[in-house]
Amino acid sequence: MAAQFGRRLRKGATTTAVAAVAVAALSASQAPGVVPAATGGDAQASGSTPSSGSSATGNSPYFTDLPPLNSPNKPDASPHLPAVGPAEAGIPATVLAAYKQAEQAVAASDPGCRVPWQLLAAIGKVESGQARGGRVDANGTTFSPILGPVLNGVGFANISDTDNGAYDGDRTHDRAVGPMQFIPSTWATWGQDANSDGRKDPNNIYDAALAAAKYLCAGGRDLSVKEDLDKAILSYNRSREYLRTVLSWFEYYKRGTHQVPDGTGVLPAERSDSGSTGAGATPASPAQPGATPGPSPSPTPPGGSTGGPSPSPSNPATGGPSTDPSTPTAPTPTPTPTPPPAATVFGIENAGGVRPTATAGEDFAVLPKVRAKSRSGQSVLGADLAFEIVGGTDARFSGNRTTAVVRTGAGGVAVAPALKAGEKTGDFTIRVTVVGRALPRLDYAATVTPRQADALVRTGDKELTAAPSSEFADQVEVKATFKGEAASGVAVTATMVAAADDPAENTQGPCFKDAEGKPVRTLTELKTGADGLLVLPKIFSDDTSGTFLLRLTTEGGATLTIELKVAAPEAPPA
């Protein structure tokens, strides 16, 4: 999160002198070079991406708790790391797995960067306390969004909205989002789908960790080089205090960590803007990307109170919080955040409706309706439900999408968006899940039926005749209609039948021929064109004379029977 200059580096360290002593002591307990020299200037590598002056977090507040002065040692060091080290050395299992996966992914795609997972862990610790102590589901998504303060220029940077509230729920200003605290505009460029769920979600630790790793590697940096390492961290948040804090945790984690269960990690207590939120940044309920964003949070009225941490006094020289250590900052109680609607959903259920069915190429008249309910069975309004098309079908939601997010409305009900059948017929599944929650899903079976015709007629009335062992001079053309309109794409079956009352295939008389010239008396791969017309392949006769029947049938029950006459052979001259 963002750089705020001159604030306390550790809870209880209320003067600049005390903060300096703490940093110096920490440095001495770890390794040479932990605290870099204050060189100032641009933290970006020349010509690299992101551009000079930018940051991943918008320089929003971050947690300044420092690691214990007695760092754990690596197992091969002396003294040895105990089986269960200090609580601060524990990293939640899913969060730790995400950091290590990101390190491996970048090692394969950009081996020259040499990004260590301990650096990602250090940034994750400082930005969100390891996703609020590892409060993530089995897929790595936080149980509720992690949002930084509104970047409205009141004590922080002033960043106007860049995502229409899709990620942070604010359509006026941006806020840093997720366990690695990306501002939406940065996420738009660097966001990743590391867990292969088809979404780039800043509140998913796998996605966010990989995005952070790639961001730190920008511009061809080699993070094993001290200068590049410093530039990478400063590009994340342009503050020297931030650099020192992250490097302190980096060295701490390099000297030994251990895995702890998700949700049991130690939460940070002190933030760079003096905001004290043990559970991490203030959660909110942003809309999911692709959904219609909700209303923007109301801006803070002049002189008013929002119920949250008070903004730091302004420093006229920097526009940031005051650096005067003699000015005490009264702690402001942090209100208990209202959980987002999705967090109160206990399950979803069918809200009525029959099996969704549509003819190929047509819209589904009936769509799935899903109700979100709480543990007590009450309807949950404002929860985001994801509708996903699953299976071998080319049916699509409006906008040619296979997934769509719909927010529950009156009665806690969400209705699937408009759905159109493709040309592939058969069954498929419409799957519904609660966005950001690992709850049981709800599956709807849906069906696409073939196009239909209720009438089939010849376009001409000329008698169809042929001599024995020859071909019919005229090809058969028919037109299919449905409710009086031309029926395109209708499947037609053509069969040489034995008799009007016997639909069995005739083994003698007229026939079609396959590519090898062999007789074929039933064709199934026939479809009408855009105008409902179909021209049958050429028909051949054998040496049997007489009147024969060709029967055409379609989905929808249309049937047409056509006479084919093969003349008797002429008698030889007397």
Side-chain angles (χ1 to χ4, degrees):
M1 291 163 75
Q4 300 296 325
F5 297 90
R7 303 306 298 169
R8 292 172 291 174
L9 288 179
R10 190 183 179 96
K11 189 170 184 177
T14 57
T15 68
T16 311
V18 173
V21 169
V23 173
L26 175 66
S27 304
S29 73
Q30 295 176 340
V34 171
V35 181
T39 60
D42 190 357
Q44 302 290 341
S46 177
S48 65
T49 301
S51 61
S52 176
S54 67
S55 71
T57 67
N59 291 342
S60 53
Y62 56 90
F63 290 102
T64 60
D65 287 0
L66 292 171
L69 296 182
N70 294 323
S71 294
N73 291 311
K74 293 180 179 179
D76 58 352
S78 179
H80 294 297
L81 179 70
V84 178
E88 286 286 4
I91 300 178
T94 299
V95 178
L96 180 60
Y99 296 147
K100 292 184 176 181
Q101 177 176 299
E103 178 192 57
Q104 294 170 359
V106 173
S109 64
D110 186 8
C113 175
R114 299 178 177 85
V115 59
W117 66 262
Q118 292 91 341
L119 176 60
L120 301 175
I123 291 176
K125 176 69 174 180
V126 173
E127 293 295 349
S128 67
Q130 312 298 18
R132 296 200 194 103
R135 294 186 66 245
V136 297
D137 63 23
N139 296 319
T141 302
T142 58
F143 289 123
S144 57
I146 299 177
L147 298 177
V150 177
L151 299 177
N152 58 7
V154 181
F156 315 124
N158 189 347
I159 302 179
S160 298
D161 174 62
T162 61
D163 66 331
N164 199 31
Y167 290 111
D168 56 15
D170 191 331
R171 290 187 285 183
T172 303
H173 294 90
D174 271 349
R175 305 174 72 172
V177 183
M180 303 304 279
Q181 288 291 275
F182 280 94
I183 55 174
S185 58
T186 306
W187 184 258
T189 301
W190 295 92
Q192 303 292 316
D193 178 17
N195 62 350
S196 301
D197 64 353
R199 299 179 60 235
K200 297 178 180 180
D201 183 1
N203 280 298
N204 180 277
I205 185 60
Y206 288 99
D207 293 356
L210 182 57
K214 288 181 175 290
Y215 183 92
L216 294 167
C217 291
R221 297 189 185 107
D222 179 352
L223 300 188
S224 66
V225 176
K226 186 64 168 67
E227 181 180 3
D228 280 0
L229 176 63
D230 289 357
K231 287 179 178 179
I233 298 172
L234 285 169
S235 77
Y236 213 88
N237 190 308
R238 306 180 64 79
S239 160
R240 289 285 156 182
E241 289 184 3
Y242 180 83
L243 174 62
R244 286 192 289 270
T245 306
V246 169
L247 286 176
S248 298
W249 281 107
F250 179 37
E251 291 298 323
Y252 181 79
Y253 286 141
K254 285 200 300 184
R255 293 174 67 83
T257 62
H258 61 277
Q259 176 179 298
V260 298
D262 289 344
T264 64
V266 176
L267 298 177
E270 186 69 13
R271 207 170 68 182
S272 64
D273 63 341
S274 291
S276 178
T277 77
T282 305
S285 180
Q288 295 297 323
T292 303
S296 304
S298 301
T300 304
S305 172
T306 64
S310 302
S312 303
S314 175
N315 183 338
T318 65
S322 170
T323 59
D324 183 2
S326 65
T327 302
T329 302
T332 302
T334 301
T336 302
T338 301
T344 65
V345 176
F346 180 71
I348 52 178
E349 63 184 10
N350 186 355
V354 297
R355 181 189 184 106
T357 302
T359 301
E362 301 296 327
D363 293 330
F364 281 79
V366 176
L367 297 169
K369 295 181 180 180
V370 183
R371 175 178 174 262
K373 60 183 180 180
S374 65
R375 183 180 292 273
S376 62
Q378 299 298 310
S379 298
V380 179
L381 280 67
D384 288 333
L385 305 185
F387 290 78
E388 178 185 6
I389 296 172
V390 180
T393 181
D394 52 357
R396 293 293 183 266
F397 292 124
S398 57
N400 198 34
R401 296 172 296 166
T402 57
T403 60
V405 175
V406 180
R407 185 162 289 174
T408 57
V413 173
V415 181
L419 178 64
K420 186 172 185 176
E423 294 303 320
K424 293 182 179 179
T425 60
D427 297 337
F428 67 97
T429 299
I430 302 173
R431 179 163 295 162
V432 189
T433 56
V434 181
V435 173
R437 299 291 306 281
L439 296 172
R441 69 196 187 204
L442 186 61
D443 284 352
Y444 285 83
T447 301
V448 176
T449 60
R451 293 174 183 261
Q452 298 183 359
D454 54 17
L456 194 62
V457 297
R458 277 190 68 191
T459 58
D461 56 5
K462 187 177 180 180
E463 188 178 62
L464 300 170
T465 62
S469 302
S470 64
E471 65 182 50
F472 287 77
D474 298 303
Q475 288 184 260
V476 176
E477 182 182 66
V478 297
K479 182 173 183 178
T481 57
F482 184 69
K483 296 182 179 179
E485 300 292 333
S488 63
V490 173
V492 179
T493 298
T495 304
M496 302 295 178
V497 296
D501 58 355
D502 185 358
E505 182 181 281
N506 197 343
T507 59
Q508 291 183 328
C511 65
F512 304 103
K513 289 188 177 180
D514 62 17
E516 298 177 354
K518 295 180 179 179
V520 175
R521 290 184 168 84
T522 298
L523 294 179
T524 58
E525 301 298 325
L526 303 173
K527 281 193 176 182
T528 59
D531 52 5
L533 296 176
L534 169 65
V535 178
L536 298 183
K538 283 187 176 183
I539 301 174
F540 300 86
S541 64
D542 59 13
D543 57 2
T544 306
S545 60
T547 299
F548 301 89
L549 299 180
L550 167 63
R551 179 163 295 169
L552 306 178
T553 58
T554 71
E555 290 287 341
T559 302
L560 175 64
T561 301
I562 301 171
E563 285 190 350
L564 302 173
K565 293 183 178 181
V566 180
E570 293 183 7

